[in-house]
Amino acid sequence: MENIYIETYGCQMNFADSEVIAAILEKSGYTVCGSAEEADFILINTCAIRDNAEQRVRHRVRELKAMQNRRHNLRVGVLGCMAERLQSRLMAEEENVSFVCGPDAYRRLPEMLAQVRSGQKAAEVELSTTETYADIEPVRLAGNGISAYISIMRGCQNYCAYCVVPYTRGRERSRDSETIVREARTLFEQGYREVTLLGQNVNSYNAEIDFPELMARVAQIDPLLRVRFATSHPKDLSDKLLEVMAEYPNICRCIHLPVQSGSNRMLKLMNRKYTKEWYLDRVEAIRRHMPDCSITTDVIAGFSTETLEDHEATLELFRTVKYDYAYMFKYSLREGTYAWKHLADDIPEEEKTRRLNEIIALQGEIALENNKHEVGKEYEVLVEGESHRSKEQLYGRNSQNKVIVFDRKDAAPGTYRRVRVDSCTAATLIGVLVQ
Ligand code: 5AD
Ligand code: SF4
């Protein structure tokens, strides 16, 4: 039988999708193999959020030509957001690509591969208003057997001015809650100890129950199952969710709350639908309900017309919130978005870089400062595996999602251990097992 190899780029949602793709193709008799070298079909699951994400994929596609010249039956396909955005244009531009398949068309992959095998090209890029792949049990690829993603909804219709996601992933839809809870329970029974519920904006999850209720039901599966989620839109972060989080110790004390900018003028232009004051009120609400909750964010430097004053407002907001972690980006103009149609991409590249570097440097100081406050504290850590540095050390995470490295002694991956923090860097806490 034929081998497929899946390469995944981009966000957690894409990694979750790749596991659905693997399940669909295994059911049709394909085998997922561990390297491109052994594959008959290479499927590249792609991201379109910034231009550099797309350039990386194009580079990889071209690199695969050499392998295809050696092995004439090897077929390459592009899946996911970039396939959706570029459609058959991509096959015209990259002639070694034989098929493109958008995020809502994965059930058609078996037919597509059959067609491709007979020498044809294939494109399926129709978006759906209902597809959630709810009935498909993902094949866990390259996981550690301890922590897994569960996709709970798809699409986004917030239409932030800069963002291509509503166009590549379509309308928002929620997966029915019973299949989610069942998937989480199965994972727990298989030995998993952590699930992350995924959606572009989980706070607008809306099936028979709402998101706080869904979190409660997953948390009730077992106190030993940790529950995380991503991503929250600040406009919809409710007190009800914070109350449910506070009630269940196994719902992790970590909220990813993308701010994008600290300037109200920018937030308005970005169509984020909240102000800096609203955002800071949500941060305060988080700290009120869970004083030990970590907060992380996404931020964009150099969006259309951003002045030095707007940029300073972002730095000021970072100083106020003191994020535990931030994903920081330069603005990248995306075709088809509101900004592409109506707003100038007018901040020079070097200036975007300069502003981004300023944010990165500040965040580095803040993260180190935050970590210094952790020294002396004790945490329950879910042990995940061997540290990259030394076989004698293990690493795990606390509820706040901070990585803690410690001497292994008798600890084993997949178990909970108490660890006391002794020292730190900006990225890692270093500790010792207690008892
Ligand atoms: N340019 C730069 N960053 C972007 N993001 C989304 N679209 C763009 C863009 N066009 C960032 C946002 C979002 C994260 C997933 O990616 O910060 O929260
Ligand atoms: Fe993009 Fe905004 Fe939707 Fe996030 S919420 S995926 S930034 S449109």
Side-chain angles (χ1 to χ4, degrees):
M1 208 50 229
E2 285 170 309
N3 284 340
I4 59 158
Y5 180 68
I6 309 175
E7 269 181 30
T8 310
Y9 294 82
C11 65
Q12 296 165 324
M13 187 66 93
N14 262 12
F15 284 82
D17 280 1
S18 289
E19 301 187 326
V20 166
I21 293 163
I24 291 170
L25 287 170
E26 281 198 347
K27 205 162 173 213
S28 301
Y30 291 90
T31 305
V32 178
C33 63
S35 80
E37 292 293 337
E38 304 161 66
D40 302 294
F41 294 96
I42 298 178
L43 286 67
I44 309 181
N45 192 3
T46 62
C47 171
I49 201 131
R50 283 169 292 276
D51 185 59
N52 58 10
E54 291 203 3
Q55 293 315 322
R56 262 177 73 204
V57 168
R58 285 194 187 258
H59 185 257
R60 177 63 179 147
V61 163
R62 288 171 197 162
E63 193 178 76
L64 287 171
K65 269 191 206 159
M67 204 187 286
Q68 287 179 290
N69 287 339
R70 275 188 281 119
R71 296 168 43 214
H72 292 290
N73 291 326
L74 173 61
R75 300 278 179 269
V76 173
V78 172
L79 281 51
C81 287
M82 208 175 148
E84 190 62 48
R85 194 178 87 70
L86 296 165
Q87 314 200 339
S88 4
R89 210 166 108 194
L90 187 63
M91 293 194 289
E93 288 167 8
E94 309 291 341
E95 38 34 305
N96 60 321
V97 172
S98 308
F99 56 107
V100 290
C101 182
D104 287 342
Y106 296 145
R107 287 182 202 267
R108 316 216 44 180
L109 276 169
E111 287 164 58
M112 293 178 75
L113 295 199
Q115 210 178 326
V116 166
R117 190 190 303 126
S118 72
Q120 290 167 275
K121 295 216 164 190
E124 293 285 351
V125 290
E126 187 117 28
L127 287 172
S128 156
T129 54
T130 54
E131 179 65 272
T132 59
Y133 301 111
D135 55 311
I136 294 173
E137 193 181 327
V139 171
R140 304 296 161 184
L141 300 166
N144 55 5
I146 297 167
S147 120
Y149 296 128
I150 301 179
S151 160
I152 66 161
M153 56 201 296
R154 302 182 69 80
C156 180
Q157 54 207 48
N158 287 311
Y159 293 98
C160 299
Y162 48 80
C163 187
V164 77
V165 169
Y167 309 93
T168 62
R169 288 189 164 268
R171 307 285 293 171
E172 184 179 290
R173 68 220 93 126
S174 299
R175 173 177 171 189
D176 86 88
S177 63
E178 265 169 48
T179 64
I180 297 169
V181 176
R182 199 183 313 139
E183 188 173 325
R185 184 173 295 117
T186 305
L187 286 164
F188 181 74
E189 285 162 0
Q190 290 168 348
Y192 284 80
R193 289 296 172 261
E194 181 175 88
V195 293
T196 304
L197 308 189
L198 292 180
Q200 242 70 41
N201 177 15
V202 292
N203 302 112
S204 60
Y205 176 82
N206 176 21
E208 325 75 54
I209 53 176
D210 63 7
F211 185 61
E213 182 60 33
L214 176 68
M215 287 294 283
R217 292 205 192 165
V218 176
Q220 282 157 15
I221 291 173
D222 197 290
L224 288 178
L225 181 67
R226 277 187 173 176
V227 190
R228 300 187 185 276
F229 61 96
T231 291
S232 290
H233 194 305
K235 77 180 164 69
D236 312 305
L237 183 74
S238 67
D239 285 351
K240 184 178 171 195
L241 175 65
L242 300 176
E243 281 154 22
V244 168
M245 288 181 75
E247 193 181 325
Y248 292 91
N250 58 326
I251 299 182
C252 289
R253 284 359 186 189
C254 176
I255 298 186
H256 185 59
L257 201 62
V259 68
Q260 315 300 1
S261 170
S263 148
N264 282 338
R265 192 180 72 82
M266 284 292 104
L267 290 171
K268 183 117 203 354
L269 210 56
M270 289 173 162
N271 192 31
R272 289 291 287 175
K273 305 183 187 89
Y274 55 83
T275 59
K276 174 186 81 180
E277 290 74 21
W278 169 274
Y279 186 91
L280 289 173
D281 172 76
R282 294 294 78 204
V283 168
E284 205 188 287
I286 294 170
R287 304 235 154 106
R288 194 165 58 237
H289 286 92
M290 293 166 288
D292 61 343
C293 191
S294 70
I295 302 178
T296 63
T297 203
D298 294 345
V299 68
I300 299 175
F303 185 60
S304 180
T305 74
E306 187 188 68
T307 61
L308 285 177
E309 201 183 326
D310 295 318
H311 171 60
E312 184 50 47
T314 296
L315 296 172
E316 193 48 40
L317 184 112
F318 267 57
R319 287 184 203 107
T320 308
V321 180
K322 300 194 170 75
Y323 293 107
D324 292 283
Y325 191 84
Y327 297 90
M328 301 163 274
F329 309 108
K330 273 193 277 191
Y331 172 51
S332 166
L333 179 70
R334 307 311 287 138
E335 194 181 331
T337 58
Y338 179 91
W340 180 78
K341 289 180 203 135
H342 303 287
L343 306 171
D345 180 15
D346 56 356
I347 310 301
E349 192 59 27
E350 321 79 72
E351 179 59 12
K352 284 183 188 172
T353 306
R354 195 193 65 79
R355 291 180 195 180
L356 176 66
N357 287 339
E358 221 165 71
I359 302 173
I360 292 173
L362 172 62
Q363 180 52 33
E365 290 168 28
I366 292 169
L368 180 60
E369 207 47 46
N370 287 347
N371 278 354
K372 282 184 186 161
H373 287 296
E374 301 295 334
V375 174
K377 291 189 192 163
E378 253 181 59
Y379 287 106
E380 177 160 83
V381 168
L382 174 58
V383 184
E384 287 179 35
E386 237 165 49
S387 138
H388 309 294
R389 292 254 181 90
S390 151
K391 279 194 184 331
E392 295 311 305
Q393 289 192 314
L394 296 174
Y395 77 94
R397 276 163 220 269
N398 63 8
S399 174
Q400 290 74 4
N401 210 28
K402 287 215 171 145
V403 173
I404 308 188
V405 177
F406 54 92
D407 284 344
R408 70 156 65 221
K409 305 241 169 75
D410 62 336
T415 62
Y416 290 99
R417 295 299 298 259
R418 286 199 74 77
V419 176
R420 191 188 63 235
V421 180
D422 277 347
S423 62
C424 70
T425 67
T428 321
L429 301 176
I430 299 135
V432 287
L433 286 168
V434 181
Q435 284 151 15

